[in-house]
Each structure stands twice: as C-alpha cells, then as structure tokens.
C-alpha cells in the first residue's frame, strides 16, 4: 500500500443522530471508491463498519469503526461513530481522533438531539465540522426545511455548497454551488445538465442565485482581500471559493452543507470531491497542545521529521486476539517492532504488528506516518495514553468522556463464575471509559454503572458471549442506617454456671445521641466496679452490635456509649462474659432510645432544556426531592437545576430523564449526607430489609 504524507490524509469522523444514515454513507463512500464490490446494508448486517455480533443483532452501530479509501492521491480515514446515546463514549473516541467531523442529518427527520451532541463535541475539541443531508431519496425528505433548521440552530456559519433541484417532490438534479454547475444522475453516474430556471428555483423555496451569493459572502469573511473583492462586486473564481471555504472550515467559521442519496449514489461523488478540496489535512491544523515530562506545556507539530508521539484513542478487548489499540500518529513515524514509552505509566513497551483497518479486515503495514490512523495488537496502553519516542516524552490530554449514571447490582448466575467476573469486567473497563465497576462499601454489593439500558444490555451480553460469564442485574440496595433520638441507661448482665468456672459479666451503659459516623465509647466507672482490663471487651461487644441495628439490621451511627457501672466476679468474669454483657445492654437499651431509620440523600445537578424545566422539577417532587435553585446553563437553551434527593428514589432517573428530554438532559448525583426517613416509609423498609 502507498505511503501518504501528512498533506495527503483526511481523517473524517462521521457522527450524528441515530438513524441519520452514518453507516450507510460510510458504506457508499467505500463502494464508490472501489474498496468494496457491493453495497452492504445495515438491516442485513453486511456493512463494513457494523461487523460485531452486537451491531449485527441490533442493526445499528454500537462502536466506532475504522475504514479508509484512496482517491485522487489522498487517503481518507473514515471513523463511523454510533449515534445512540448509550454509545456516546464511542462517538467521543471517533471525534477525538478526527481532523473534521462530518455530521449527518436526515432529510426526512431533520436536526435532532444527536446532531447537537456531535456538533458540541466537535466544537469542544476544536474540530472543524460539516453537515451532510442524507436520505434525500425518501419521498418525505425536505432539504429546504433541513437547511432552514441548520441555519436557525447553528447560525450564519452554515454554508450550503451542494443543493438538490426538486420538481414535483422529486430530485431531478444537484447543483454544485462552487462549480456553479448542475448534475443529474443516471444509474449512479453524474451527467452535467442545465442549471434550474428561476421559476423552478422559486418553487423549491430557495433561489440558487441567492445561495451562490451566500457562499460568496461566507468566503469573503475569511480574508480581507477577498472581502474587498466581494464588496466591489467582483465574482470569485472557483479556486478562490475553494480556498476560502477550506480556510473557513479550518478556522471553524464556515460549516459547509452538502447532500446525498446514499441508496441511489446520487451526490456521493460530489461529497468525495468536497472532502478532498474543503476539509483539512493533518499538516494544516494548529500545533497540538501537550505536557512535557517535566510538566511544562508545549505544542507538537504534525511533521514526519519530529520525534514520535501517538495517541491511543480507542481500545478493543478481544478474548481471542487480545487487546487491539487504535492509534492516531501525531508526529514522527510509528514503526512495528520498535520500543516506545507510554507517557501515562513511564514504562517502555514494544510495538508489535501494525495494521490499517477496513472494518474487521486487517491490512498489515511496517510503518504509519504522522497524521495517519492504525491499529496495534497486545499493547498494554489504555485509551487516552500517549506513546512517545524515548528522546521526547510528552502526553496529550485525554478526552472528557460522558459520566455513567445508571447503577445496577451485578451478580453471577453460577457460583463458579464469581471469580471470573472481575477479570472479565476489567477487560471491558480497558475498552469502555464510560463503565464503572466497584463494591458498595455499606451493602457489599458489586455495582456496575453504565450510560443507560442499552449500554447495560450490551455489557451484560458481551460478558456472556465473549467471556463466558452469565450475570444477573438488580436494583442496588439502599444503604440505610439507624440512629437514636434520646438518652437511655440499660443494664447487661450475663451469668452462666455449668460446673467449674462459670461466666459472669455485669455492665450499666448509658446510650445517647451524638454526631458521629462511628460508635463513640467512653468509661466513667468509679471504685473499680468493672476492672480496666475488661473495658476493651465491653467496647468490642458494642462495636459488633452497631453493625446491625434493632429496627432492620442496618448499621447504627450517631451513638455514644458510656460505661458507668457494673460488677464482676473474681473467678467467673472474663473478657468474653463482659463482651456478651455489653451486647445484652445494647439490645436492651437501643429499643428504648427511640431508634429511627436514616436514608442517604444526594446533591443532584441536572441540566435540561429550558422548556423541560417544569417537567423535571415536577418529577423531582414526585421523588421526594427538594429543589434548591435554577440557573442558566453555559450551554445555550439549557437550564441547570440543583436539588437534594433521596438516593432510594433515583435508581431509574437516568432512563426517565432521557425519555423526558429526548436525550438532551444530563445530571450528576453525589451522596451528601443522611436524613431521617419519613415515618410513612419506615414500615415498608423494615419489612423489605429486616435482616435479623
């Protein structure tokens, strides 16, 4: 395979709302470039990019896949990202490695939440973007409505460069506003045709000459000389239009819009031309910020003569092949069978075989130049790690992945699988930065946290299919606690005679409320009623008791126990007898001290669309939440609501919020403190959880 330098490579992440045609567009581009000899279909599970068992089963993308085509002296790497909200981490991975984000928008359904998510991630990461309006072959598609939406939602930067000519609700041709030529498609092949008349243009809802004027105006904004030319009324040359749009895309001030019908191949050739002409190559982008080994900031230029630096932007845990690492080379050249330094760990490791990927197909290569993307097997590096030349150790920032919020308790179906769960989950954690797995310290349950129901189903499915671990999930237990409300004094007397030495211990203990997460033990014994050497035994007996309260067996907090009196026997008393006596005093005294249940309460911050604020507040009220305030979010059109909510009411909030806001809402929830459980819920909790 030909080696390409950093001026001949285009790295394109294809992102957008679920169902907007990302995978079909990827498949069509590969077919048009001659990479494949047939058009695969998502519904049939025959596409290059949706090749995993999970994706074939769901008939949609779940992971970001890599493929490429070669055309007109360029290598174009395509990162087909999923649009499902539960697969958001994979979209972040793809966008982080791209040079430009190509956002698909369905000509039928228009701008959706996923459109905004893709654009916002691209903007946050400083990636240029363009829009591709897809599915124009659908009889309900309306390009004019979609273009109007794009301009309304994303502002004056939106700049159409290819538009359809529509007559009688059918597309008759496409106009390239840069070439100022029209093309019709016969059997998928472009044939030049007449430009639409003013009458046809008027019926479409947009005038072609008006769009051409808008393109020229957008180009004029990119350069002072071009602005002067535009202001004087001179028309731009085709080269000036291309160069101006190219520069505007690089600077993020122009968002080109093109359109295709991937099913009929119409417009695909023009899209490939726009990719070559308008989108940036790695050599053109600004220096990439990094941190040197001594902690000082630096910038790394994408040039082949520089020392190697590369980013592991995606990891795949394969139980058969081993770990597969997707790598974007930022500077220098990555060669197989060479030593590199992992900047995250400081450890040197050997790079084995390198591959270019066409979906699941691997094409071995000896080296990968700067700006290009490849895969390597059996590296110990994780997602976000930087691989460097030992002569210059630097690290790049790790993308910010979406935080998981949907918690379930995980348990192996078979006891023999218990030991396998941790190792299998650890493999998946290497791959998926939006998974979290930890033991809940109070309930001792193993908690798996995901982005949502689909993410959970996918993870559980992989555990069984790839690692042979069958698990069940359940709603996590709530870590309730118990405490007391008043001061009491109780006696614990233990006496047992069974021939020979007996057992005798006698204590009087005062129990009173205090502010503490642990038992506070004091002694105020006078006159040696209880010898000092038995004090530790009394405390130990109490410490064991507070692990299981008298109401429902939950840990007891906020209690001070004061040993005030007692008696002993010079022969029959022992540490065991005083430990038992203390337990008896606890069981006698705590029920008299007005015990009550405490529930965990969390601080919630939820960001929702402005028009959904009332609905979300109403939902929080249903969940016994207390709204603390509302402020406008940094994100346009969003409101940030803060509240205090009982943790017991939040197990399904992720799913409810997503449904309520069509996926736009996000939240963070952190446990803050414990509050008294309302009396009307006490009986239910005791009945459900009583452990003694």
């Amino acid at each position: 395979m030909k080696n390409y330098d950093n001026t001949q490579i285009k790295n394109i992440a294809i992102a957008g709302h679920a169902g907007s045609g990302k995978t079909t567009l990827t498949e069509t581009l590969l077919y048009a470039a001659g990479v494949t000899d047939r058009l695969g279909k998502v519904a049939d599970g025959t596409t290059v990019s949706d090749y995993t068992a999970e994706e074939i089963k769901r008939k949609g993308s779940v992971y970001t896949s890599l493929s490429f085509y070669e055309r007109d002296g360029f290598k174009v790497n395509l990162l087909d990202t999923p649009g499902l909200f539960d697969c958001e981490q994979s979209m972040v991975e793809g966008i982080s490695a791209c040079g430009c984000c190509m956002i698909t928008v369905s000509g039928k359904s228009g701008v959706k939440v996923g459109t905004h998510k893709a654009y916002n991630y691209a903007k946050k990461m400083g990636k240029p973007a363009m829009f591709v309006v897809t599915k124009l072959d659908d009889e309900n598609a309306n390009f004019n409505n979609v273009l109007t939406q794009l301009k309304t939602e994303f502002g004056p930067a939106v700049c159409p460069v290819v538009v359809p000519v529509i007559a009688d609700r059918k597309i008759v041709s496409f106009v390239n506003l840069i070439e100022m030529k029209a093309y019709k498609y016969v059997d998928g092949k472009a044939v030049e045709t007449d430009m639409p008349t003013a009458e046809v243009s008027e019926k479409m809802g947009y005038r072609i000459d008006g769009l051409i004027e808008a393109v020229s105006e957008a180009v004029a904004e990119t350069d002072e000389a071009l602005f002067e030319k535009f202001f004087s009324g001179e028309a731009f040359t085709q080269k000036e239009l291309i160069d101006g749009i190219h520069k505007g895309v690089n600077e993020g001030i122009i968002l080109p819009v093109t359109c295709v019908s991937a099913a009929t191949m119409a417009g695909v050739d023009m899209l490939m031309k726009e990719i070559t002409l308008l989108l940036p190559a790695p050599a053109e982008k600004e220096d990439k910020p990094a941190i040197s080994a001594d902690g000082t900031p630096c910038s790394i230029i994408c040039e082949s003569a520089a020392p190697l630096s590369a980013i592991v932007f995606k990891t795949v845990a394969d139980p058969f092949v081993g770990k597969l690492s997707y790598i974007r080379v930022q500077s220098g050249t990555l060669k197989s069978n060479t030593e590199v330094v992992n900047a995250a760990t400081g450890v040197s490791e050997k790079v084995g075989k390198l591959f270019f990927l066409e979906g699941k197909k691997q094409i071995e290569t000896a080296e990968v130049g700067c700006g290009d993307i490849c895969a390597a097997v059996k590296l110990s590096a994780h997602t976000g790690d930087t691989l460097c030349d030992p002569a210059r150790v630097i690290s790049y920032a790790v993308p910010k992945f979406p935080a998981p919020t949907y918690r379930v308790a995980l348990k192996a179906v078979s006891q023999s699988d218990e030991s396998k769960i941790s190792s299998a989950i650890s493999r998946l954690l290497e791959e998926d930065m939006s998974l979290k797995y930890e033991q809940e310290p109070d309930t001792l349950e193993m908690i798996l946290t995901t982005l949502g129901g689909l993410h959970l189903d996918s993870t559980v499915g992989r555990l069984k299919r790839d690692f042979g671990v069958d698990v069940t999930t359940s709603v996590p237990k709530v870590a309730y606690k118990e405490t007391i409300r008043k001061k009491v004094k109780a006696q614990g007397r233990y006496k047992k005679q069974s021939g020979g030495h007996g057992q005798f211990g006698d204590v009087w203990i005062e129990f009173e409320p205090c502010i503490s997460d642990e038992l506070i033990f004091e002694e105020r014994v006078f006159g040696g009623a209880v010898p000092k050497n038995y004090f530790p035994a009394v405390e130990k007996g109490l410490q064991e008791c507070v692990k299981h309260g008298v109401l429902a067996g939950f840990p007891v907090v906020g209690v001070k126990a004061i040993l005030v009196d007692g008696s002993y026997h010079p022969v029959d008393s022992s540490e065991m007898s005083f430990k038992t006596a203390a337990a008896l005093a606890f069981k006698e005294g705590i029920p008299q001290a007005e015990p009550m249940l405490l529930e965990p309460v969390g601080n919630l911050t939820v960001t929702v669309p402005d028009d959904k604020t009332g609905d979300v507040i109403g939902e929080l009220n249903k969940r016994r939440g207390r709204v603390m305030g509302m402020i406008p979010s940094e994100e346009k059109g969003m409101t940030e609501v803060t509240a205090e909510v009982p943790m017991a009411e939040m197990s399904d909030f992720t799913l409810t919020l997503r449904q309520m806001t069509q996926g736009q809402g996000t939240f963070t929830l952190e446990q803050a403190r414990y509050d008294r459980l309302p009396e009307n819920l006490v009986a239910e909790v005791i009945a459900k959880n009583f452990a003694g």
Side-chain angles (χ1 to χ4, degrees):
M1 179 178 163
K2 176 185 172 182
N3 288 326
Y4 292 86
D5 66 32
N6 58 0
T7 64
Q8 301 171 305
I9 295 170
K10 309 280 184 174
N11 296 315
I12 313 295
I14 302 178
H17 196 75
S20 61
K22 299 178 293 299
T23 299
T24 301
L25 179 59
T26 303
E27 189 72 12
T28 306
L29 289 169
L30 295 175
Y31 177 73
V35 175
T36 59
D37 55 10
R38 65 177 179 81
L39 272 173
K41 294 183 179 180
V42 173
D44 298 338
T46 55
T47 61
V48 170
S49 47
D50 284 358
Y51 60 86
T52 67
E54 189 76 21
E55 291 171 316
I56 293 171
K57 171 188 170 185
R58 296 186 182 279
K59 303 185 187 306
S61 300
V62 177
Y63 312 103
T64 288
S65 66
L66 174 62
S67 53
F68 70 92
Y69 68 81
E70 299 168 277
R71 187 181 178 101
D72 301 327
F74 285 86
K75 180 188 179 193
V76 179
N77 291 312
L78 301 173
L79 295 147
D80 179 20
T81 72
L84 297 166
F85 301 137
D86 281 16
C87 307
E88 204 169 312
Q89 125 136 12
S90 288
M91 181 175 68
V92 174
E93 290 173 341
I95 294 176
S96 72
C98 77
C100 181
C101 185
M102 183 187 292
I103 303 172
T104 54
V105 184
S106 168
K108 180 180 178 180
S109 54
V111 175
K112 294 289 185 181
V113 176
T115 314
H116 284 280
K117 281 185 178 286
Y119 175 78
N120 289 339
Y121 273 119
K123 189 175 181 181
K124 287 175 185 175
M125 296 186 205
K127 309 289 184 178
M130 71 175 293
F131 295 104
V132 180
V133 182
T134 61
K135 302 187 177 184
L136 290 183
D137 51 295
D138 192 294
E139 62 180 11
N140 294 314
N142 190 318
F143 178 82
N144 185 38
N145 285 354
V146 175
L147 182 60
T148 302
Q149 258 192 307
L150 288 171
K151 288 182 176 179
T152 302
E153 302 281 347
F154 301 101
V158 171
C159 176
V161 294
V162 176
V163 297
V165 177
I166 302 167
D168 298 326
R169 296 178 62 112
K170 290 185 178 179
I171 297 174
V172 295
S173 63
F174 288 78
V175 175
N176 188 315
L177 299 176
I178 297 175
E179 297 178 1
M180 299 182 191
K181 292 180 181 179
Y183 298 89
K184 63 181 180 179
Y185 284 83
V186 181
D187 298 327
K189 302 293 182 181
V191 178
E192 189 173 345
T193 187
D194 295 333
M195 291 284 281
T197 63
E199 183 182 359
V200 170
S201 181
E202 196 68 36
K203 287 181 179 179
M204 292 189 301
Y206 50 85
R207 294 177 9 260
I208 297 298
D209 56 347
L211 293 178
I212 293 173
E213 180 76 7
V215 172
S216 298
E217 187 174 345
V219 168
E221 296 289 338
T222 65
D223 184 88
E224 286 189 19
L226 293 177
F227 182 80
E228 291 292 334
K229 186 173 183 178
F230 175 77
F231 192 70
S232 66
E234 290 185 63
F236 292 136
T237 65
Q238 186 173 321
K239 185 176 186 309
E240 286 173 331
L241 288 172
I242 292 171
D243 291 346
I245 296 173
H246 186 107
K247 182 181 179 184
V249 171
N250 269 1
E251 294 175 353
I253 59 175
I254 290 181
L255 297 167
V257 180
T258 184
C259 55
V260 299
S261 169
T264 64
M265 303 289 292
V268 172
D269 59 333
M270 281 191 276
L271 172 59
M272 297 176 87
K273 191 182 295 184
E274 310 311 343
I275 288 173
T276 300
L277 295 175
L278 304 183
L279 303 187
E284 301 173 63
K285 292 299 294 174
E286 295 291 327
D287 302 350
K288 189 173 180 66
I291 301 295
S292 62
D294 61 4
T296 57
C298 58
S299 294
I300 306 300
I301 301 172
C302 182
E303 58 181 11
S304 56
L308 170 71
S309 67
I311 307 162
V312 178
F313 67 89
K314 173 180 169 65
T315 305
V316 175
D318 192 304
F320 306 107
V321 179
K323 187 157 64 173
L324 185 67
S325 302
Y326 287 60
I327 302 170
R328 158 74 188 266
V329 181
Q330 173 63 22
S331 63
T333 302
L334 179 63
K335 298 180 180 180
S336 59
N337 300 313
T338 56
E339 294 285 334
V340 298
V341 173
N342 185 335
T345 62
V347 175
S348 177
E349 59 180 296
K350 187 174 182 179
V351 177
K353 292 182 178 180
L354 298 172
F355 303 95
F356 294 125
L357 298 180
E358 286 285 8
K360 64 181 177 181
K361 180 183 176 183
Q362 299 179 346
I363 303 168
E364 191 170 348
T365 181
E367 62 180 48
V368 181
C370 65
D372 210 346
I373 297 175
C374 67
V377 294
K378 298 180 180 178
L379 286 177
S380 62
H382 297 104
T383 300
D385 288 357
T386 304
L387 306 178
C388 312
D389 187 315
R392 184 185 68 178
V393 178
I394 55 101
S395 59
Y396 296 109
V398 179
K400 185 177 181 181
F401 294 103
T405 54
Y406 186 47
R407 303 171 76 248
V408 295
L410 203 67
K411 187 177 181 181
V413 172
S414 170
Q415 195 169 2
S416 61
D417 284 344
E418 289 285 355
S419 59
K420 298 180 186 177
I421 290 183
S422 292
S423 60
I425 288 283
S426 66
R427 296 285 299 276
L428 294 182
L429 290 174
E430 291 179 358
E431 173 181 324
D432 194 339
M433 306 296 283
S434 289
L435 270 183
K436 190 177 179 183
Y437 185 65
E438 59 188 353
Q439 186 177 55
E440 174 63 48
D442 291 319
T443 64
L444 302 182
E445 287 185 310
M446 298 307 299
I447 304 298
L448 178 68
T449 313
T450 67
L451 294 175
L454 173 61
H455 193 198
L456 173 63
D457 291 345
S458 176
T459 302
V460 170
R462 288 201 61 192
L463 284 173
K464 185 174 182 178
R465 184 178 60 253
D466 295 348
F467 300 97
V469 180
D470 199 3
V471 299
T472 59
T473 61
S474 60
V475 176
K477 295 177 183 176
V478 180
Y480 294 103
K481 292 186 179 180
E482 300 182 19
T483 191
I484 59 174
R485 283 175 279 185
K486 75 174 187 178
K487 181 177 180 179
V488 297
K489 182 178 180 181
Q491 181 184 22
R493 182 179 176 86
Y494 178 62
K495 182 177 181 181
K496 186 175 182 182
Q497 198 70 41
S498 58
H501 287 305
Q503 296 289 333
F504 181 83
D506 179 28
V507 294
W508 281 89
I509 300 175
E510 290 181 353
F511 297 97
E512 62 182 48
C514 70
I515 300 174
S516 174
D517 291 333
E518 297 178 353
L519 173 75
I520 296 177
F521 176 73
E522 294 180 2
E523 55 81 18
R524 297 176 189 167
V525 179
F526 298 99
V530 177
K532 289 184 178 180
N533 58 306
Y534 293 136
F535 292 171
V538 174
E539 181 178 6
K540 186 175 182 181
L542 294 173
Q543 292 288 5
E544 290 183 2
C545 286
V546 296
K547 294 178 182 178
H548 304 286
V550 297
L551 286 178
F554 295 114
V556 180
V557 297
V559 173
K560 178 190 284 189
I562 308 167
L563 176 62
V564 295
D565 202 358
S567 60
Y568 73 102
H569 189 280
V571 176
D572 292 347
S573 289
S574 65
E575 290 186 0
M576 180 58 70
S577 59
F578 272 95
K579 177 181 172 184
T580 305
L584 293 172
F586 181 89
K587 292 176 182 176
E588 175 70 21
I590 296 301
Q592 302 174 35
E594 296 184 5
M596 65 178 182
L597 288 180
L598 301 175
E599 65 174 344
V601 174
N603 289 331
L604 173 73
T605 301
V606 55
T607 303
V608 296
D610 294 339
D611 61 344
K612 299 294 182 183
T613 304
D615 295 339
V616 170
I617 290 175
E619 181 65 28
L620 294 177
N621 289 334
K622 289 180 188 176
R623 294 171 185 261
R624 299 191 287 120
R626 183 170 61 176
V627 175
M628 308 301 290
M630 293 184 297
I631 58 171
S633 172
E634 293 180 359
E635 192 175 340
K636 182 183 176 183
M638 305 289 278
T639 297
E640 195 173 275
V641 180
T642 55
E644 293 180 342
V645 290
M647 301 295 283
E649 304 288 345
M650 300 301 287
S651 62
D652 65 342
F653 187 68
T654 297
L655 308 182
T656 302
L657 181 66
R658 180 168 296 171
Q659 184 178 27
M660 186 178 292
T661 65
Q662 288 76 53
Q664 291 176 280
T666 60
F667 74 95
T668 60
L669 176 63
E670 294 182 358
Q671 186 170 315
R673 65 177 192 280
Y674 276 81
D675 276 352
R676 181 180 177 181
L677 181 70
E679 287 296 331
N680 62 312
L681 300 176
V682 170
E684 179 185 344
V685 171
I686 291 176
K688 185 177 180 181
N689 296 280
F690 185 70

